[in-house]
Amino acid sequence: MEKRQLGKSGLEVSALGLGCMGMSFGYGPPADKKEMIAVIRAAVEKGVNFFDTAEVYGPFINEELVGEALAPFKGEVIIATKFGFNLDPDDGFKMKGLNSRPENIRKVAEASLKRLKVEAIDLFYQHRVDLSIPIEEVAGTVKQLVEEGKVKHFGLSEAGATNIRKAHAVMPVTALQSEYSIWTREPEAVIMPTLEELGIGFVPFSPLGKGFLTGKIDENTTFHETDFRNTVPRFTTEARANNQALIDVISGFAIEKEATAAQICLAWLLAQKPWIVPIPGTTKMNRMHENFDAASLTLSPAEFAAISEASSKISIQGTRYTAAALEQLAKS
């Protein structure tokens, strides 16, 4: 698989990375550990060297899974993890708000190093902007961790342009991780031009729309009671029925290219900019191969423009998060 550089940082990763969250968290009960280790290691054999996790995925168990799975490939792979949530030890380590205080950042870094079985965290993201802590202080703390050899690169997730600039002025930001896909186009207006100006890489999460863009989900699909899509407005039965129109458009292009809907969506992202590295996630071996085969699917400028135009004409029903969550992100 071809490699890409995340902006001007010098950090070189595979054109597609593996988002590991869903193996342990978010989409129902954790998947079988042995099977997930097999999927992760098969991804390495396929040429993937970029893996994404976070302290809160589980919490903790996803980092432990990734650490165990990638232990045989030490020095050959890039592991990204995240800090920034408050996990209450007196209440089962449930997430209770944000926490990017310097002491917590350091605490998370030390714990993540152990769970990931590494000497330094390759890419350390602030998981969400904490409005109670100046972003400059966050960046300064990570800069100290870099100077101490515990972290190699600094990243942000779902941050706005102003905070990206403030953080970057203190400690160069290697990558921004935010939701971006063929049905979530908001970053195109302000965020992507900002990243290009500053030389920051872009790591889209949910590049397959939390599974919907694969064409394998429709209005009749049911989710496990612990699956967070049950709370997402874009995944109501009515919204899914309406949004099927987008799948029909994507599927048309997939037939023309002798590809799958998922591959079209990933190839469309890769065709945007050379510093974009999507991180699709899966728990299935066959889907892993399908997703990463998209790295060899080339869209001509005309094909890219046609997909962009046709998909933009579809009115997407439902927001990607609840109103309260979106209000919080708007301040970031």
Side-chain angles (χ1 to χ4, degrees), residues 159-170:
T162 298
N163 277 319
I164 292 170
R165 291 182 183 280
K166 287 180 179 179
H168 191 69
V170 176

Side-chain angles (χ1 to χ4, degrees), residues 204-216:
F205 71 79
S206 295
L208 298 177
K210 300 176 177 65
F212 188 80
L213 299 179
T214 65
K216 306 300 182 183

Side-chain angles (χ1 to χ4, degrees), residues 43 50 66 77 87 90 179 186 189 209 216 260 275 305 326 328:
F50 188 35
V66 171
V77 296
L87 300 177
D90 297 322
E179 185 168 358
E186 291 86 348
K216 306 300 182 183
T260 66
W275 37 267
L326 287 174
Q328 178 71 22

Side-chain angles (χ1 to χ4, degrees), residues 57-321:
Y57 299 162
F60 313 131
I61 59 173
N62 196 245
E63 281 189 327
E64 292 168 352
L65 167 68
V66 171
E68 181 176 345
L70 295 177
F73 307 100
K74 191 169 293 187
E76 303 173 27
V77 296
I78 305 298
I79 303 175
T81 192
K82 310 175 192 73
F83 65 86
F85 281 100
N86 192 54
L87 300 177
D88 187 352
D90 297 322
D91 191 14
F93 291 101
K94 290 181 181 178
M95 282 192 287
K96 294 190 176 179
L98 301 172
N99 185 351
S100 279
R101 294 193 300 272
E103 59 270 25
N104 190 56
I105 297 174
R106 287 185 166 278
K107 178 183 175 182
V108 174
E110 296 292 348
S112 293
L113 286 169
K114 293 177 181 176
R115 287 189 288 266
L116 295 173
K117 304 180 188 297
V118 295
E119 286 71 47
I121 297 169
D122 294 304
L123 178 55
F124 204 29
Y125 292 104
Q126 183 189 34
H127 210 148
R128 291 292 185 271
V129 173
D130 184 347
L131 298 175
S132 69
I133 306 294
I135 196 77
E136 296 89 344
E137 191 171 346
V138 173
T141 301
V142 176
K143 183 176 184 178
Q144 292 172 358
L145 290 169
V146 171
E147 292 168 348
E148 294 165 15
K150 295 176 180 178
V151 170
K152 295 181 181 179
H153 294 271
F154 175 39
L156 298 172
S157 181
E158 294 275 24
T162 298
N163 277 319
I164 292 170
R165 291 182 183 280
K166 287 180 179 179
H168 191 69
V170 176
M171 172 66 198
V173 176
T174 292
L176 174 77
Q177 181 179 132
S178 292
E179 185 168 358
Y180 181 45
S181 68
I182 209 164
W183 76 344
T184 300
R185 306 277 289 270
E186 291 86 348
E188 294 174 2
V190 176
I191 295 300
M192 286 172 60
T194 300
L195 300 180
E196 187 157 37
E197 175 194 339
L198 298 177
I200 298 171
F202 190 25
V203 179
F205 71 79
S206 295
L208 298 177
K210 300 176 177 65
F212 188 80
L213 299 179
T214 65
K216 306 300 182 183
I217 294 173
D218 61 24
E219 68 268 29
N220 299 313
T221 303
T222 57
F223 302 114
H224 188 273
E225 61 182 6
T226 61
D227 191 312
F228 82 102
R229 286 174 292 191
N230 289 312
T231 68
V232 176
R234 196 169 283 184
F235 278 84
T236 64
T237 301
E238 181 184 3
R240 279 181 273 155
N242 176 85
N243 296 336
Q244 183 62 40
L246 177 61
I247 301 304
D248 295 340
V249 167
I250 296 169
S251 296
F253 286 103
I255 291 170
E256 290 180 13
K257 294 291 288 184
E258 297 183 342
T260 66
Q263 289 170 341
I264 291 294
C265 291
L266 293 170
W268 179 83
L269 284 169
L270 290 171
Q272 294 269 4
K273 299 287 182 180
W275 37 267
I276 290 180
V277 179
I279 50 168
T282 186
T283 59
K284 299 178 176 64
M285 187 71 79
N286 64 318
R287 295 297 177 213
M288 182 276 292
H289 286 290
E290 175 187 341
N291 291 344
F292 294 136
D293 284 343
S296 59
L297 179 63
T298 301
L299 299 179
S300 69
E303 289 170 332
F304 172 78
I307 294 169
S308 298
E309 182 179 2
S311 59
S312 68
K313 292 179 179 178
I314 304 298
S315 178
I316 302 301
Q317 182 173 321
T319 53
R320 66 188 184 100
Y321 287 131

